[in-house]
Amino acid sequence: MLKLRKIAMALAVALFVPQLAVSPATAARPGPVDPPVPSIPQRYLDQPITWSVCSFDAAVKKAYPQAPTTNCAKVKVPMDWAHPDAHPDVEVAIAYSKATGKSKGLMASNPGGPGGAGLNLSAYLGVDKPQLFSDFDLLGFDPRGFGASTRLQCLTTAEKLAALPTTPDFKERTRQTHKVEVAEAALQAEACSATEFGQFVSSQQTVYDMDFLRALFKARQLNFIGYSYGTWLGGWYADTYPQRVGRFVIDSNMDWTHTQWENVNFDPFSGQRRRDTQLFPWIARHADQIQGLGSTSRQVTASYDRIRADLVKLVKAGTSKVRGDDLDGTIYSVSYGNVRFIRGTLDILVHDEYTKDPSASGAVELRHVDKAWARLAPELQAFDTLANIRARYDVAPAASAAVAAAVRTDSARSILADAREAAARSTSGDAVVNLGSIGTTVRCNDTAWNHNPKFYLTEADKMARKYSFFGYMVGVPMCAFWKHKPQDRKLDLTGSPRLLMVQGELDPATAYEGALRTHRDTTKATRFVAIDDEGQHGQYIGSASACAEAIGDTFVFTGELPAHNKICGTTPLPADLTVYPVNGPVNGNPVHLP
């Protein structure tokens, strides 16, 4: 679940109050006893650190010339904090800048994931919110296993990749699809547990890293801004080190008092809700600016289904590599951001052009992108550029690799597809292939999972029937085959000061219902701010809601929280003149959670 919003790309009230009212905390879920808090061996605090100016510092100062210099380094930490001498050390990449004014303390951040690289996030948050530079020493870091830190390696062979079965469409819940999902999950689990590091790429170990960094900088407490999976990380830190918690803003919340499985199983309904109540109605409202998709939500849905079905036919005919399930994943991803609605519309148009005129290469080509762009009115084209869209599809000779990387969203399936293509070109079947750092490893290490693949197949089949857009998305997770014991904890935040939870009503990636359930589990330690009719994933700093932004600012810079939970309004979607209300969970229409 990565935070896709303008910050990441620059580098990334009278309502129905009873639904939000504070209720007694629900009974704590059965779970393991919290692991003991390890001490920090002095050798790690005394280690020499070699600093250098961060590669992104020039971009930060170009955007905000008064920014302090941000320096980067790598520090050693134990692979396993519970047994510091049992394994080789690993490295965590960090970025640090001193407050330009009187410092209120150390402020860290996390962009989400799991697996999101956050080295530059704190500095870029400062670009958008300069008072962070003056009021805080800013700390950015890449979590263990990812980015510039010691990377997790998920190792398999070309032979095993080549032997994987295939299916033309994961949405078709057939025996063949089931076979593929089980085989892929088993291979990923084997690959990501192939090294000794695999079992220690977890939230709990990262939390220990975070507190080590606090101690390294001699900070009494840690302040934190976390998005998406960063809320899970923030909640776990607050439960592990309640006495070290400063000002925590956790935004677009996972249901972090429950299991990782429960969280990923929310995605089908939350993703469908965002598409059906906001994205497709928005496309329909702008039918005079978008050629050929329809002027009602029903017509837009029919156009999408037709395009998707045509893609699947071409794949089944063996003439195309452009898949319908990949289009689903792309649309789910772009729905994270409001401005990305334009890009999502273009994605649908590009695939429409492709189905009308398939290429001999079996891939999207320049003509498809350019024809799709021409179907968008200049008023909507102004929200993006043709160069970006060409780079997104890698069809322009001079396409920027950096831009292409910024707009691509990798999933476990796309990683496997790329690896399979590379394996097909390999001359040696026993050649070792590194699938890279698959963030699902963190989920497998964090909580207990059902190890019967049939459980997940049954659930995916049921979700596919219930949620026609992307109900099948979870399939069989690799955690069904994970061999390591989870490093879980039972969260209640006993002894922690209040955390500020910010949540959009229609968030596609972290369902409102799950976030509210976590708040109700932790009512003594959290304050909940809901944003009505808002579906963007990532709210505080550059928010569409001035109300939520102001509440966050007051808390971050003064420490003052609102006296009660609050419901905020939002601003219109791109090119809209008003906010179109949605009858969602804030208004008393939630999805029932099991």
Side-chain angles (χ1 to χ4, degrees), residues 309-559:
D310 288 345
L311 292 173
V312 175
K313 288 178 184 177
L314 292 170
V315 170
K316 287 182 175 180
T319 61
S320 176
K321 296 179 289 187
V322 183
R323 297 175 58 97
D325 42 25
D326 285 344
L327 177 60
D328 291 339
T330 297
I331 297 305
Y332 175 76
S333 175
V334 297
S335 73
Y336 280 29
N338 293 340
V339 174
R340 297 295 183 89
F341 277 19
I342 290 86
R343 186 162 290 177
T345 302
L346 281 164
D347 287 326
I348 298 171
L349 294 173
V350 166
H351 287 77
D352 191 20
E353 291 296 334
Y354 176 82
T355 60
K356 291 175 180 178
D357 180 22
S359 62
S361 67
V364 169
E365 295 182 349
L366 181 62
R367 68 179 186 276
H368 303 122
V369 173
D370 287 358
K371 286 181 179 179
W373 179 259
R375 292 170 63 177
L376 213 61
E379 294 85 352
L380 297 184
Q381 289 177 348
F383 287 93
D384 215 317
T385 69
L386 180 56
N388 277 348
I389 302 304
R390 286 173 172 174
R392 180 173 176 80
Y393 286 91
D394 195 23
V395 295
S400 163
V403 172
V407 299
R408 175 168 179 171
T409 301
D410 284 331
S411 66
R413 285 172 180 164
S414 66
I415 290 169
L416 277 178
D418 290 346
R420 192 198 304 264
E421 286 191 17
R425 298 190 295 270
S426 173
T427 58
S428 174
D430 61 356
V432 175
V433 177
N434 182 8
L435 301 178
S437 305
I438 297 179
T440 307
T441 301
V442 176
R443 297 185 188 275
C444 299
N445 281 324
D446 277 4
T447 61
W449 292 72
N450 190 316
H451 289 291
N452 183 358
K454 290 183 179 179
F455 167 80
Y456 301 103
L457 293 172
T458 300
E459 190 69 17
D461 292 351
K462 180 181 72 175
M463 285 291 196
R465 292 190 297 268
K466 191 172 184 179
Y467 301 107
S468 60
F469 168 44
F470 211 4
Y472 64 92
M473 68 182 300
V474 175
V476 180
M478 74 183 211
C479 304
F481 296 94
W482 196 246
K483 66 182 183 180
H484 299 297
K485 183 179 178 181
Q487 301 167 41
D488 201 353
R489 64 182 306 108
K490 179 179 172 183
L491 273 75
D492 53 24
L493 270 59
T494 299
S496 172
R498 286 194 190 273
L499 284 59
L500 177 63
M501 299 179 67
V502 181
Q503 190 69 30
E505 178 184 23
L506 307 167
D507 192 312
T510 50
Y512 180 94
E513 289 86 346
L516 184 59
R517 183 165 70 176
T518 275
H519 164 63
R520 287 173 170 166
D521 286 346
T522 59
T523 50
K524 293 181 179 180
T526 56
R527 184 74 76 226
F528 194 87
V529 175
I531 308 178
D532 191 30
D533 300 319
E534 178 54 57
Q536 183 158 283
H537 185 58
Q539 300 294 339
Y540 176 60
I541 301 189
S543 178
S545 170
C547 164
E549 188 87 4
I551 291 172
D553 284 351
T554 299
F555 179 54
V556 168
F557 298 118
T558 74

Side-chain angles (χ1 to χ4, degrees), residues 17-95:
V17 176
Q19 178 64 23
L20 188 62
V22 174
S23 64
T26 59
R29 65 180 174 89
V33 176
D34 293 349
V37 177
S39 60
I40 302 174
Q42 191 62 37
R43 68 178 183 272
Y44 293 103
L45 294 171
D46 293 341
Q47 66 180 289
I49 302 175
T50 302
W51 293 98
S52 61
V53 177
C54 297
S55 60
F56 56 83
D57 183 66
V60 170
K61 288 179 177 173
K62 182 177 180 181
Y64 185 69
Q66 293 78 35
T69 296
T70 304
N71 289 296
C72 284
K74 293 183 179 181
V75 293
K76 293 186 183 298
V77 296
M79 184 181 294
D80 178 12
W81 277 99
H83 304 95
D85 300 319
H87 308 273
D89 289 338
V90 295
E91 291 184 322
V92 173
I94 60 175

Side-chain angles (χ1 to χ4, degrees), residues 279-288 290 294-298 300:
L279 174 57
F280 280 7
W282 179 88
I283 292 174
R285 287 196 299 272
H286 295 274
D288 59 332
I290 303 166
S295 58
T296 67
S297 293
R298 180 172 293 183
V300 175

Side-chain angles (χ1 to χ4, degrees), residues 7-8 10-12 54-57 60 70 72 94-95 109 111 117-127 139-142:
I7 290 171
L11 294 159
C54 297
S55 60
F56 56 83
D57 183 66
V60 170
T70 304
C72 284
I94 60 175
S109 62
L119 191 65
N120 54 19
L121 179 61
S122 294
Y124 280 112
L125 292 175
V127 168
L139 172 66
F141 70 99
D142 286 345

Side-chain angles (χ1 to χ4, degrees), residues 240-315:
T240 307
Y241 299 103
Q243 75 282 9
R244 301 297 187 190
V245 173
R247 300 169 191 179
F248 272 45
V249 178
I250 49 176
D251 180 343
S252 303
N253 285 259
M254 293 178 65
D255 185 6
W256 38 266
T257 57
H258 289 76
T259 68
Q260 287 279 8
W261 157 245
E262 288 170 295
N263 277 267
V264 299
N265 208 32
F266 295 163
D267 293 344
F269 82 75
S270 55
Q272 177 119 11
R273 180 166 60 194
R274 170 72 156 164
R275 190 199 75 163
D276 291 352
T277 66
Q278 291 203 299
L279 174 57
F280 280 7
W282 179 88
I283 292 174
R285 287 196 299 272
H286 295 274
D288 59 332
Q289 298 172 307
I290 303 166
Q291 294 179 19
L293 293 182
S295 58
T296 67
S297 293
R298 180 172 293 183
Q299 290 173 352
V300 175
T301 302
S303 294
Y304 184 88
D305 291 343
R306 169 185 55 79
I307 295 164
R308 192 195 186 287
D310 288 345
L311 292 173
V312 175
K313 288 178 184 177
L314 292 170
V315 170

